[in-house]
Amino acid sequence: MFSKTKSQKAQVKQGIQELDIVVDGGYTPDRIKVSAGEPVKLNFFRKDPSSCLEQVLLPDFNKALDLSLNQITSVEIVPEKPGEYTFTCGMNMYRGVVIAEDSGR
Ligand SMILES: [Cu+2]
């Protein structure tokens, strides 16, 4: 069930680290590398009609997103400290992780 994980580094656009995540039978990529202490924008593109994936929870940031099918739903977070910040579907079945690394500044 848990096939290979995909790791991807966020692209920096206008000072915001931004990444598109496809929601389709899980999250792709499901490991997102960012620099700690800087804003991150995640764009969730839900392609999966399963109700399982209609919500994304980011408990470390007190965020819960409702995803509309075939639409992009964005959220901005700031991972203040280096570490791993997990996000999950509403039932905690699918998960991904934002990996914040020390930016060295
Ligand atoms: Cu679920």
Side-chain angles (χ1 to χ4, degrees), residues 27 50-55 88-94:
Y27 303 106
S50 156
S51 62
C52 176
L53 288 159
E54 71 190 1
Q55 249 200 342
T88 69
C89 73
M91 301 159 213
N92 202 12
M93 292 154 59
Y94 295 105

Short mmCIF file of all heavy atoms in Angstrom, two decimals, residues 27 50-55 88-94, ligand 1:
data_model
loop_
_atom_site.label_atom_id
_atom_site.label_comp_id
_atom_site.label_asym_id
_atom_site.label_seq_id
_atom_site.Cartn_x
_atom_site.Cartn_y
_atom_site.Cartn_z
N TYR A 27 -0.69 11.54 -1.19
CA TYR A 27 -0.12 12.85 -1.51
C TYR A 27 1.16 12.68 -2.31
O TYR A 27 2.02 11.88 -1.95
CB TYR A 27 0.18 13.62 -0.22
CG TYR A 27 -1.02 13.78 0.66
CD1 TYR A 27 -1.15 13.05 1.82
CD2 TYR A 27 -2.04 14.66 0.31
CE1 TYR A 27 -2.27 13.18 2.64
CE2 TYR A 27 -3.16 14.80 1.11
CZ TYR A 27 -3.26 14.07 2.28
OH TYR A 27 -4.37 14.20 3.07
N SER A 50 -12.53 10.25 -3.49
CA SER A 50 -12.76 9.57 -2.22
C SER A 50 -12.92 10.58 -1.08
O SER A 50 -12.11 11.51 -0.94
CB SER A 50 -11.56 8.65 -1.94
OG SER A 50 -11.46 8.41 -0.56
N SER A 51 -13.96 10.37 -0.27
CA SER A 51 -14.20 11.31 0.82
C SER A 51 -13.07 11.28 1.83
O SER A 51 -12.88 12.21 2.61
CB SER A 51 -15.52 10.97 1.52
OG SER A 51 -15.45 9.68 2.08
N CYS A 52 -12.33 10.20 1.80
CA CYS A 52 -11.18 10.08 2.69
C CYS A 52 -10.23 11.27 2.55
O CYS A 52 -9.64 11.71 3.51
CB CYS A 52 -10.44 8.79 2.34
SG CYS A 52 -8.93 8.52 3.23
N LEU A 53 -10.12 11.77 1.33
CA LEU A 53 -9.10 12.79 1.07
C LEU A 53 -9.68 14.19 0.97
O LEU A 53 -9.02 15.12 0.53
CB LEU A 53 -8.35 12.43 -0.22
CG LEU A 53 -7.42 11.23 -0.04
CD1 LEU A 53 -7.09 10.59 -1.38
CD2 LEU A 53 -6.16 11.63 0.68
N GLU A 54 -10.93 14.35 1.42
CA GLU A 54 -11.54 15.67 1.27
C GLU A 54 -11.02 16.68 2.31
O GLU A 54 -11.22 17.86 2.16
CB GLU A 54 -13.06 15.59 1.32
CG GLU A 54 -13.62 15.28 2.68
CD GLU A 54 -15.11 14.98 2.63
OE1 GLU A 54 -15.68 14.99 1.53
OE2 GLU A 54 -15.67 14.72 3.70
N GLN A 55 -10.38 16.17 3.32
CA GLN A 55 -9.80 17.07 4.32
C GLN A 55 -8.32 16.83 4.48
O GLN A 55 -7.85 15.70 4.36
CB GLN A 55 -10.46 16.81 5.68
CG GLN A 55 -11.35 17.93 6.14
CD GLN A 55 -11.59 17.88 7.64
OE1 GLN A 55 -11.39 16.86 8.29
NE2 GLN A 55 -12.02 18.99 8.18
N THR A 88 -2.05 15.08 7.40
CA THR A 88 -2.77 13.83 7.17
C THR A 88 -4.14 14.12 6.57
O THR A 88 -4.64 15.24 6.62
CB THR A 88 -3.01 13.06 8.49
OG1 THR A 88 -3.94 13.78 9.29
CG2 THR A 88 -1.72 12.85 9.27
N CYS A 89 -4.76 13.07 6.06
CA CYS A 89 -6.16 13.18 5.68
C CYS A 89 -6.99 13.20 6.96
O CYS A 89 -6.48 12.97 8.06
CB CYS A 89 -6.57 12.02 4.78
SG CYS A 89 -6.72 10.44 5.62
N GLY A 90 -8.28 13.47 6.82
CA GLY A 90 -9.14 13.63 7.98
C GLY A 90 -9.23 12.40 8.86
O GLY A 90 -9.55 12.50 10.04
N MET A 91 -8.95 11.24 8.28
CA MET A 91 -9.02 10.00 9.07
C MET A 91 -7.65 9.47 9.43
O MET A 91 -7.52 8.34 9.92
CB MET A 91 -9.76 8.94 8.27
CG MET A 91 -11.16 9.34 7.91
SD MET A 91 -11.68 8.34 6.51
CE MET A 91 -12.74 9.46 5.65
N ASN A 92 -6.64 10.26 9.16
CA ASN A 92 -5.28 9.88 9.54
C ASN A 92 -4.82 8.60 8.82
O ASN A 92 -4.07 7.81 9.39
CB ASN A 92 -5.18 9.71 11.05
CG ASN A 92 -3.76 9.86 11.54
OD1 ASN A 92 -2.88 10.30 10.81
ND2 ASN A 92 -3.53 9.49 12.78
N MET A 93 -5.29 8.40 7.60
CA MET A 93 -4.88 7.21 6.84
C MET A 93 -3.73 7.54 5.89
O MET A 93 -2.82 6.76 5.71
CB MET A 93 -6.06 6.68 6.03
CG MET A 93 -7.15 6.11 6.91
SD MET A 93 -8.76 6.20 6.08
CE MET A 93 -8.42 5.26 4.63
N TYR A 94 -3.86 8.66 5.25
CA TYR A 94 -2.79 9.11 4.36
C TYR A 94 -2.04 10.23 5.04
O TYR A 94 -2.61 11.04 5.74
CB TYR A 94 -3.36 9.60 3.03
CG TYR A 94 -4.03 8.52 2.25
CD1 TYR A 94 -5.41 8.45 2.17
CD2 TYR A 94 -3.27 7.55 1.59
CE1 TYR A 94 -6.04 7.45 1.45
CE2 TYR A 94 -3.89 6.55 0.87
CZ TYR A 94 -5.26 6.50 0.80
OH TYR A 94 -5.88 5.50 0.10
CU CU B 1 -8.55 9.27 5.05
#
